[in-house]
């Protein structure tokens, strides 16, 4: 299961609160595609499957589908807001290599 840093959990919580919709969770998934073979997908979701894996970080519920879970095991979602780096990033120990955009891996 992917984990969230405190900074990522805080930012995701802010974004969910701005949506003003009850029951939203952050869904993190891995899909075929991207320049390195797989790409990350993140979005807010309130529709859950029976085999989804969930974990709560502070106020944020994170949902991962069963097929993505093994590819995200041990991964960490972080958020930075600085001059050199801004936005979300995923540090994934399962990735053998990743592309320059940071959005795809194999």
């Amino acid at each position: 299961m992917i984990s969230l840093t405190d900074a990522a959990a805080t930012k995701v919580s802010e974004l969910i609160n701005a949506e003003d919709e009850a029951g939203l969770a952050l869904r993190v998934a891995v899909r075929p595609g991207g320049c390195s073979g797989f790409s990350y997908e993140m979005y807010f979701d309130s529709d859950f499957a029976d085999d989804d894996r969930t974990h709560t970080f502070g106020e944020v519920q994170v949902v991962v589908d069963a097929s993505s879970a093994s590819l995200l095991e041990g991964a960490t979602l972080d958020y930075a807001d600085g001059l050199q780096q801004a936005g979300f990033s995923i540090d994934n120990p399962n990735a053998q290599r990743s592309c320059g955009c940071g959005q795809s891996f194999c």
Side-chain angles (χ1 to χ4, degrees):
M1 182 71 183
I2 191 168
S3 62
L4 272 64
T5 64
D6 290 341
T10 298
K11 186 60 176 179
V12 171
S13 180
E14 290 173 9
L15 294 170
I16 287 176
N17 289 333
E19 292 293 318
D20 197 27
E21 183 179 331
L24 287 180
L26 175 66
R27 181 172 292 278
V28 182
V30 174
R31 303 285 182 242
C35 42
S36 292
F38 292 106
S39 62
Y40 298 111
E41 188 174 59
M42 293 188 299
Y43 57 94
F44 298 133
D45 198 2
S46 59
D47 186 26
F48 310 118
D50 291 337
D51 61 349
D52 280 342
R53 300 193 182 161
T54 64
H55 192 80
T56 303
F57 299 90
E59 300 176 3
V60 177
Q61 183 179 21
V62 177
V63 180
V64 175
D65 63 88
S67 62
S68 298
S70 64
L71 295 170
L72 292 170
E73 189 66 39
T76 303
L77 176 66
D78 193 15
Y79 179 78
D81 187 14
L83 292 175
Q84 295 295 325
Q85 179 182 357
F88 290 99
S89 63
I90 296 177
D91 178 26
N92 190 343
N94 301 306
Q96 295 173 355
R97 63 183 170 90
S98 62
C99 67
C101 71
Q103 298 299 311
S104 67
F105 69 99
C106 71

